[in-house]
Amino acid sequence: MTKPASRGVQTRMGRTLIKDLRQQVGQDVKIQGWVKTIRDQKRVQFLIIRDHTGLGQATAERSDDTAALNDAIASLTRESAVTVIGKVVENPVVKTGGVEVLIRELVVEGVADRLLPLDVSGAKESNPEVRLNWRFLDLRRPENLLTFQTQTTVEHAMREYWLREGFLELHSPKLMGSASESGAELFELTYFDRPAYLAQSPQFYKQMAMAAGFDRVFEIGPAFRADPSFTPRHATEFTSVDMEMSWIESHEDVMAFEERWLQYALTRVKEQLGPRIRETFDVDVVVPDVPFPRIPMQDVLRILTARGHIPERKGDLDPAGERLLGEHVAGELGHQFVFVTDYPAEVRAFYHMRYPDAPAITKGFDLLWKGVEVTTGAQREHRYEVLVAQAKEKGLSLEPIQFYLDFFKYGCPPHGGFGFGLSRMMMVLLNQPNIREVTYIYRGPTRLYP
RNA sequence: GGGGGCGUAGUGUAGCCUGGUUCAACACGCCUGCCUGUCACGCAGGAGAUCGCGGGUUCAAAUCCCGUCGCUCCCGCCA
């Protein structure tokens, strides 16, 4: 068997991606990838090689002259990383693209053990636990590659839209001296000479940028929540997509921005990856019409009651209610998205602005996609006295958040924004049952490895 | 944190309800041999599991009971 080569003529030959083999018929090429299948017959040996662009066949005829090569192929293992050099020939019979590489040289760059801990070929899906333990092997499955290609497209499109609209991209600290939201629990750190915490959200810092006069900002970054949440849509560490914009008239401006922003991102995904997503996940990427439906919470409750569902909590939605509302909106309004507006103050954060003529109702909203909550947003309260009063009303102690309250003492413009769950979007977009499927390396209440 | 389900060879499952004649079956993978080009290659043979862990009931437990650990789903929390 040939050893990995750091010198030699083959390293000077450029690599050909498997998807490009068709254009190289008649040429000598070097392809590099993983051995998906070995079909070793008496006269001919076939390898199916997988790289990130597709599958291709490499073939070697058995003969006395090529005994060394034939032996090397015979002792190959599935999922080994290999370099194959040979001539591309057209062969209409070959199912992987009608071309094959006639192997002249094979280099095993990285051997794989004979017994794999999971089935990379995807014929059968291993247990969730096994797949997470061996995530790097699980990620070799092409649908997982497509998931992260899709996520890259989504993020890129979001940034494109923001930049076009004059936003700045920020990176706020993830180490904090106090909580940034009330509800969720904090990860506490021991390094500092006082309690410190991992950021649950960039909420305070993106608002700080409004007080700083940055006008419009966004951030895509990690958020940490020490919640023992055992659901298919929670993680203790997740990627939060956040934006904040100044000089708005109301939260309607924020919703109007978000729906166009999402429409743009989904347009891009459909253009660039729609057919592959259709083929791989059996999902049609639907570019949503704007405006999205908006339904005040009071009406939502009426709709759910009419459908026989009484939410347990007053003024808020439970997961069953969210699913039901998603079905209602799909059936009655023909839309996958719905903004739920006018949440009662008692179920919203202290910094959500309230209606002047109805102080029990906030200018806060959630966005549901196919019945899954993907966004919470609001116009923020930017008037210092009002904000302090609302914080007190919620029973918060002011000292730890005084630095935040100070943002509003020296001329802060009216503003609003939202937080958006990237993995939740991916989960809904690709119709996956679980956030772990679409998270590169999942972190949960009991998961710290790999 | 509360409630339900699951945990059997490298992988995926069956057997568990109605304990014993199966201390374990099937498929994929693996090993050996064969096979004129395969493409989920095919054919023949073979190895591989003390049935998560601990305890109990019983003459006898993968099968029943208790505990424990892990995973998972529902609820709560939320992105």
Side-chain angles (χ1 to χ4, degrees):
Chain A
M1 186 179 306
T2 322
K3 297 302 288 181
S6 55
R7 292 187 292 276
V9 72
Q10 69 272 20
T11 60
R12 287 199 291 275
M13 183 187 285
R15 178 190 184 194
T16 297
L17 297 176
I18 285 172
K19 72 174 168 62
D20 296 328
L21 280 177
R22 267 224 144 271
Q23 287 93 267
Q24 300 293 320
V25 171
Q27 305 294 310
D28 270 6
V29 298
K30 174 169 81 177
I31 61 172
Q32 297 179 300
W34 286 262
V35 178
K36 176 183 159 70
T37 306
I38 304 157
R39 286 192 276 269
D40 185 2
Q41 298 180 194
K42 180 156 196 173
R43 302 283 176 82
V44 202
Q45 297 170 306
F46 302 97
L47 300 179
I48 305 300
I49 307 293
R50 181 191 67 247
D51 72 10
H52 61 289
T53 68
L55 299 175
Q57 177 165 291
T59 307
E61 290 193 24
R62 281 182 177 277
S63 73
D64 293 343
D65 294 344
T66 58
L69 174 65
N70 297 137
D71 289 349
I73 292 172
S75 63
L76 258 182
T77 54
R78 291 147 76 230
E79 292 306 316
S80 288
V82 297
T83 295
V84 171
I85 292 165
K87 185 179 181 180
V88 184
V89 298
E90 193 156 23
N91 184 348
V93 176
V94 177
K95 292 190 175 174
T96 50
V99 292
E100 61 185 334
V101 176
L102 303 180
I103 307 172
R104 195 176 70 236
E105 188 174 345
L106 171 76
V107 182
V108 180
E109 310 282 3
V111 193
D113 278 1
R114 300 199 109 76
L115 294 176
L116 296 161
L118 55 76
D119 182 4
V120 177
S121 78
K124 60 200 173 195
E125 191 149 281
S126 295
N127 285 324
E129 188 179 4
V130 171
R131 293 174 49 215
L132 284 188
N133 287 342
W134 298 93
R135 182 61 166 160
F136 67 95
L137 288 176
D138 188 40
L139 289 171
R140 287 186 188 177
R141 302 187 305 147
E143 61 264 41
N144 281 320
L145 178 63
L146 180 56
T147 295
F148 294 98
Q149 288 170 329
T150 304
Q151 181 173 290
T152 299
T153 299
V154 164
E155 283 190 58
H156 183 72
M158 287 174 169
R159 281 197 170 85
E160 267 184 344
Y161 195 85
W162 275 318
L163 295 180
R164 189 182 300 167
E165 295 284 328
F167 280 68
L168 294 184
E169 178 164 12
L170 295 184
H171 302 287
S172 66
K174 303 309 161 200
L175 297 173
M176 297 181 70
S178 64
S180 51
E181 304 260 358
S182 45
E185 291 185 55
L186 291 160
F187 281 106
E188 190 166 345
L189 302 167
T190 56
Y191 173 82
F192 297 93
D193 62 358
R194 74 191 84 167
Y197 310 95
L198 291 177
Q200 301 160 302
S201 148
Q203 184 62 36
F204 288 177
Y205 299 116
K206 61 180 179 172
Q207 287 190 258
M208 183 173 153
M210 301 301 97
F214 282 9
D215 199 68
R216 302 172 147 201
V217 301
F218 71 92
E219 173 168 359
I220 299 177
F224 305 90
R225 306 264 168 100
D227 287 326
S229 297
F230 298 98
T231 81
R233 59 194 181 284
H234 287 85
T236 52
E237 176 178 348
F238 63 95
T239 301
S240 183
V241 176
D242 279 86
M243 59 143 275
E244 203 73 19
M245 55 200 285
S246 287
W247 306 109
I248 60 171
E249 298 215 351
S250 78
H251 57 306
E252 171 57 34
D253 292 329
V254 180
M255 292 189 285
F257 183 94
E258 182 171 16
E259 61 198 0
R260 282 180 279 118
W261 170 78
L262 277 173
Q263 185 188 50
Y264 181 76
L266 288 169
T267 300
R268 280 299 207 221
V269 170
K270 189 179 180 69
E271 283 170 3
Q272 293 178 19
L273 299 166
R276 287 180 61 201
I277 290 172
R278 174 106 198 87
E279 187 184 352
T280 303
F281 293 106
D282 197 27
V283 171
D284 275 318
V285 178
V286 175
V287 175
D289 292 332
V290 296
F292 297 175
R294 288 145 169 73
I295 307 181
M297 179 54 86
Q298 275 200 317
D299 294 348
V300 168
L301 296 178
R302 269 198 288 276
I303 289 165
L304 294 182
T305 304
R307 290 187 161 237
H309 179 76
I310 318 288
E312 305 255 326
R313 278 169 300 156
K314 55 221 172 293
D316 208 351
L317 283 172
D318 49 19
E322 290 173 353
R323 286 190 289 272
L324 211 51
L325 180 61
E327 288 170 23
H328 172 85
V329 172
E332 301 296 315
L333 306 172
H335 212 282
Q336 295 185 344
F337 290 89
V338 58
F339 282 114
V340 178
T341 63
D342 296 6
Y343 277 82
E346 57 184 327
V347 299
R348 303 299 270 199
F350 74 96
Y351 51 77
H352 284 205
M353 184 177 273
R354 302 173 188 183
Y355 286 103
D357 53 341
I361 309 294
T362 65
K363 295 185 172 188
F365 63 90
D366 278 8
L367 177 62
L368 271 52
W369 187 12
K370 296 186 189 174
V372 175
E373 180 182 332
V374 293
T375 283
T376 296
Q379 176 166 8
R380 321 301 186 185
E381 180 51 67
H382 64 286
R383 296 161 300 182
Y384 180 79
E385 304 299 340
V386 180
L387 186 59
V388 167
Q390 290 183 180
K392 282 181 179 164
E393 181 197 306
K394 290 275 181 185
L396 300 178
S397 67
L398 300 185
E399 308 89 85
I401 58 167
Q402 189 57 51
F403 78 98
Y404 166 73
L405 298 172
D406 286 344
F407 301 163
F408 307 95
K409 287 168 73 175
Y410 302 93
C412 188
H415 65 279
F418 61 80
F420 177 93
L422 182 62
S423 293
R424 286 201 180 167
M425 176 188 188
M426 296 303 299
M427 188 170 78
V428 176
L429 173 61
L430 302 179
N431 195 29
Q432 293 300 292
N434 201 297
I435 202 167
R436 278 150 269 178
E437 298 286 344
V438 297
T439 302
Y440 175 50
I441 300 168
Y442 167 75
R443 287 290 181 264
T446 61
R447 173 63 68 170
L448 273 174
Y449 291 96

